[in-house]
Amino acid sequence: MTKPPKMPNPQASIDYLTDACAKLSGAMQHFLQNPPSLSMATSYDTSAVMAAMTDVMTGVMTQPQRLIETQMKAFDEWSRMWQDMWTPGLAAKPAVAPERGDRRFSDGDWESSPFFRSLKDSHLLAARHLREFVQSSTEEDKSKRAMAELIVEQYLNAVSPTNFILTNPQVMRRTIDTCGANLIAGFANMLEDLATGRGIVQRRTDNGAFRLGENLACTPGGVVFQNHLMQINQYTATTASVRARPLLYVPPLVNKYYMIDLQPASSLVKWLVDQGHTVFVVSWVDPDESHRDCGVEDYVGTGVIEAIEQVRKVTGSDAVDLFGFCMGGTLLSMATAVLAARGELDKVGSATLIGALVDFTDMMEWSAFVNDAHVDALDVHIGDKGYIAKDELQRLFSMMRANDLIWSSYISHYLLDKEAPPSDLLFWFEDGSHIPEAFLRTYNRKLLLEDKLREPGAVTLLGEHLDLTQITVPVTIIGLKDDHVSSWKSVFRGRQYFGGEPVYILGGSGHNAGVINHPSRKKHGFWTNADKTTDADAWFAGAQKHEGSWWPHWSDWLYANDPGEEVPARKLGGGKLKVLEKAPGSYVLGA
């Protein structure tokens, strides 16, 4: 006998409704006392956006034959979809299905209910055809095409049936069960977020679950050096002896270093220390107006090169192994090229670039903002403050993964009124940093827009002409297969610009999660291939897949390229340097 459906508790619904109304009253008072600013300034050129859309659409309309073929294909697929709708279970393969990783339609009603299934399939099929429509354009400007595709993608994400009360089965059930209290409380959540001045959807994780230095960024260590741009953390050894050559991490500027030192169970820093490495990390300051004139030269010279010198001073080692993530990998490449030009390459033992670009030919969705008009608009936008704010950068990164980082939170917090579960990675993501005006001006033009770093001698820095081919120390380049920021194929292309024979490793998962892949989790896997081909697809076709994390493979490579014998475990600080404070340091804590 089928059990009757579980009925909601009437008293619980009344209590929830009462609490929701009280919460809304308080949120409205807070909102009225702290109205959000209505700044009209933008960090991009709106006229360039419209021009891009116009040119791409014109490129579609100039091909009537192709347009007709696209329409005929759409007619056939719509016919098949509706046929499948009336004969569920008979189709060998559905006409349309969510892409891998699309978690929006995981609720069972999206398949079991004809109404919700028709909404889902109609949206997915219309989305496919609109994307194909834009992609069929003859427009050759990559930045314009990327902008048009980005606008279309944002539109499709926004109009998904999952984002509306009456077309989301989970929201409808919740609304009925709570007599609408979830919507009242959700509206209060939105008002509270707006009153913070940081915009909506700021509830991705339970921030109260994490405390820096206690259960996050808590690998034991100390700050052994600082200047106006950075602190250097050294971590306490956990082995009796350590590898002779120390290891220095260079993070990107946009987020703080501790993505590689989250909770102990997932910390790359702790794992490296436990493998016998002496680990140092650069911890960038969160810049303010006083840093507006700090450019790429400052971050390379006063930052990376200075850090190399200080690590050598602490350890007494002649050379330092470098590794950097994303923009940090690009900066360490430039620093190493400067040292090579000065005849000081022997200060670098090896270099590892993780999800880092030196070839900016294909920046995927980010190409939308890489053109003169948008770079000029950004220059004007940041001129008053002297930096681009961390909240703006976070919104931009969120937009690139809108379903995961915007709309899922919108549904959870504003429609369902659910508390965000704790996530150390999302906590780190929201703990961003500003970027100074001078740095952005140089980086955006010389590297992103002009794409000169890969050309020998085309970029001058600290009085030296940079030539990556002069970097002949061992180099490992690590791409991430599902990376949405630095395409693994673009990262792969970087190895052809270095001297010597760089090693390439392809890790599984995405830009951030693919880095934080502790071996104990036995997830994602990685690929290796000794072939020297410059064709990424050919490399992957011949690559061997390994289970688990790439960390042990990389650590073995570091040991194999260290000519020195192990030395007794090093104490924090050394020589003339003293421990200034406990890790993670005041630059991370904002003190």
Side-chain angles (χ1 to χ4, degrees):
M1 180 176 179
T2 304
K3 293 182 179 180
K6 184 179 179 181
M7 300 302 292
N9 183 331
Q11 186 58 49
S13 297
I14 293 172
D15 292 344
Y16 181 27
L17 183 60
T18 301
D19 291 343
C21 290
K23 181 179 182 180
L24 178 59
S25 176
M28 291 183 71
Q29 292 181 31
H30 186 219
F31 178 79
L32 292 173
Q33 293 169 358
N34 301 275
S37 63
L38 300 176
S39 173
M40 300 301 291
T42 61
S43 56
Y44 57 89
D45 188 327
T46 54
S47 63
V49 174
M50 296 305 299
M53 291 295 295
T54 300
D55 291 347
V56 170
M57 292 301 105
T58 300
V60 174
M61 297 304 179
T62 55
Q63 302 181 93
Q65 182 60 37
R66 190 169 181 178
L67 189 58
I68 292 173
E69 291 173 357
T70 301
Q71 291 173 331
M72 292 300 296
K73 178 185 176 185
F75 178 80
D76 290 342
E77 291 183 342
W78 278 101
S79 299
R80 180 184 167 194
M81 189 205 79
W82 285 111
Q83 181 180 355
D84 293 347
M85 192 66 61
W86 294 107
T87 56
L90 297 182
K93 182 180 180 182
V96 65
E99 295 181 359
R100 184 172 68 90
D102 187 347
R103 297 186 291 271
R104 292 176 298 172
F105 302 100
S106 58
D107 189 274
D109 278 353
W110 289 111
E111 286 298 327
S112 61
S113 165
F115 172 71
F116 288 115
R117 188 171 72 252
S118 66
L119 286 176
K120 171 185 66 96
D121 291 353
S122 297
H123 173 73
L124 292 175
L125 196 55
R128 176 199 292 175
H129 292 144
L130 186 53
R131 291 188 186 104
E132 291 176 349
F133 177 81
V134 173
Q135 291 166 1
S136 68
S137 175
T138 57
E139 174 59 52
E140 295 182 355
D141 188 301
K142 287 191 293 186
S143 181
K144 291 181 178 180
R145 291 180 65 91
M147 177 57 74
E149 291 174 5
L150 178 63
I151 295 298
V152 166
E153 206 60 41
Q154 298 309 307
Y155 166 75
L156 292 173
N157 292 336
V159 299
S160 170
T162 53
N163 299 335
F164 301 92
I165 300 169
L166 298 179
T167 55
N168 184 320
Q170 188 180 9
V171 174
M172 285 189 66
R173 290 196 302 269
R174 175 82 166 156
T175 303
I176 292 171
D177 290 346
T178 66
C179 301
N182 57 302
L183 301 179
I184 296 174
F187 183 53
N189 292 339
M190 180 180 288
L191 291 179
E192 289 175 354
D193 287 349
L194 287 171
T196 66
R198 298 185 63 196
I200 64 171
V201 190
Q202 299 297 328
R203 297 165 180 263
R204 299 184 182 93
T205 184
D206 177 9
N207 288 334
F210 302 107
R211 295 171 302 281
L212 292 176
E214 296 182 29
N215 61 353
L216 208 63
C218 57
T219 301
V223 176
V224 295
F225 176 82
Q226 76 175 47
N227 59 28
H228 68 292
L229 282 183
M230 66 172 179
Q231 291 184 322
I232 299 177
N233 288 347
Q234 180 185 357
Y235 294 91
T236 305
T238 59
T239 55
S241 60
V242 295
R243 190 168 67 89
R245 190 181 287 157
L247 190 58
L248 172 65
Y249 174 65
V250 181
L253 274 63
V254 67
N255 285 103
K256 296 175 181 175
Y257 82 86
Y258 65 86
M259 188 191 80
I260 66 165
D261 189 26
L262 296 173
Q263 297 182 79
S266 60
S267 170
L268 175 56
V269 169
K270 182 181 185 303
W271 185 86
L272 287 168
V273 170
D274 289 344
Q275 306 311 303
H277 297 277
T278 305
V279 180
F280 295 82
V281 302
V282 169
S283 176
W284 300 118
V285 71
D286 187 4
D288 55 27
E289 291 183 5
S290 67
H291 297 89
R292 78 158 57 229
D293 296 324
C294 295
V296 173
E297 288 199 346
D298 298 281
Y299 278 88
V300 170
T302 312
V304 182
I305 294 177
E306 180 65 28
I308 293 171
E309 294 298 331
Q310 296 303 325
V311 171
R312 292 174 69 235
K313 185 182 298 185
V314 170
T315 61
S317 176
D318 292 332
V320 178
D321 287 329
L322 306 176
F323 73 110
F325 170 59
C326 193
M327 183 192 291
T330 308
L331 291 177
L332 77 80
S333 299
M334 300 171 77
T336 306
V338 169
L339 293 177
R342 292 175 176 176
E344 300 176 357
L345 187 59
D346 57 348
K347 294 180 179 179
V348 177
S350 71
T352 299
L353 285 67
I354 307 171
L357 299 176
V358 295
D359 180 339
F360 298 89
T361 304
D362 180 14
M363 296 187 63
M364 302 188 299
E365 297 98 327
W366 299 95
S367 299
F369 301 100
V370 182
N371 59 55
D372 284 311
H374 292 311
V375 170
D376 289 344
L378 181 60
D379 287 347
V380 173
H381 178 69
I382 63 178
D384 291 337
K385 292 182 294 187
Y387 59 84
I388 186 168
K390 63 184 75 175
D391 290 341
E392 294 181 86
L393 291 167
Q394 186 188 109
R395 284 194 289 270
L396 180 60
F397 277 89
S398 297
M399 183 176 67
M400 296 300 184
R401 293 183 59 202
N403 285 329
D404 290 334
L405 294 176
I406 296 178
W407 293 111
S408 63
S409 297
Y410 167 86
I411 295 166
S412 180
H413 309 317
Y414 301 155
L415 301 185
L416 296 173
D417 184 37
K418 287 189 174 182
E419 293 296 325
S423 168
D424 52 5
L425 191 58
L426 286 178
F427 180 94
W428 165 83
F429 174 78
E430 294 189 346
D431 188 18
S433 295
H434 307 318
I435 298 182
E437 176 184 2
F439 181 94
L440 276 179
R441 288 183 188 276
T442 305
Y443 196 88
N444 285 348
R445 291 193 180 279
K446 289 297 181 184
L447 273 69
L448 304 189
L449 189 58
E450 298 179 12
D451 192 16
K452 294 293 187 182
L453 183 58
R454 59 196 174 102
E455 299 179 15
V459 174
T460 302
L461 195 71
L462 298 171
E464 307 293 347
H465 297 289
L466 304 191
D467 183 354
L468 299 181
T469 66
Q470 298 303 307
I471 300 176
T472 54
V473 298
V475 172
T476 282
I477 298 175
I478 301 172
L480 291 314
K481 193 169 186 295
D482 299 324
D483 198 328
H484 65 285
V485 176
S486 306
S487 160
W488 77 265
K489 293 184 180 181
S490 296
V491 173
F492 177 87
R493 280 199 307 273
R495 74 174 189 166
Q496 66 184 292
Y497 303 112
F498 291 90
E501 296 183 351
V503 174
Y504 185 79
I505 300 172
L506 178 61
S509 194
H511 190 66
N512 300 325
V515 178
I516 307 307
N517 184 22
H518 197 283
S520 64
R521 296 180 176 180
K522 300 178 181 179
K523 292 176 63 177
H524 304 321
F526 64 98
W527 291 260
T528 60
N529 186 350
D531 195 330
K532 301 301 187 292
T533 179
T534 57
D535 185 309
D537 291 321
W539 182 93
F540 184 71
Q544 178 185 0
K545 183 175 182 181
H546 310 268
E547 298 303 320
S549 172
W550 53 265
W551 292 6
H553 184 84
W554 175 56
S555 179
D556 290 343
W557 178 84
L558 289 171
Y559 268 99
N561 283 284
D562 188 345
E565 296 182 359
E566 291 191 355
V567 300
R570 298 178 172 108
K571 296 181 180 180
L572 298 183
K576 298 180 180 180
L577 298 184
K578 304 297 180 183
V579 177
L580 305 178
E581 58 181 319
K582 290 176 60 177
S586 54
Y587 282 12
V588 157
L589 298 174

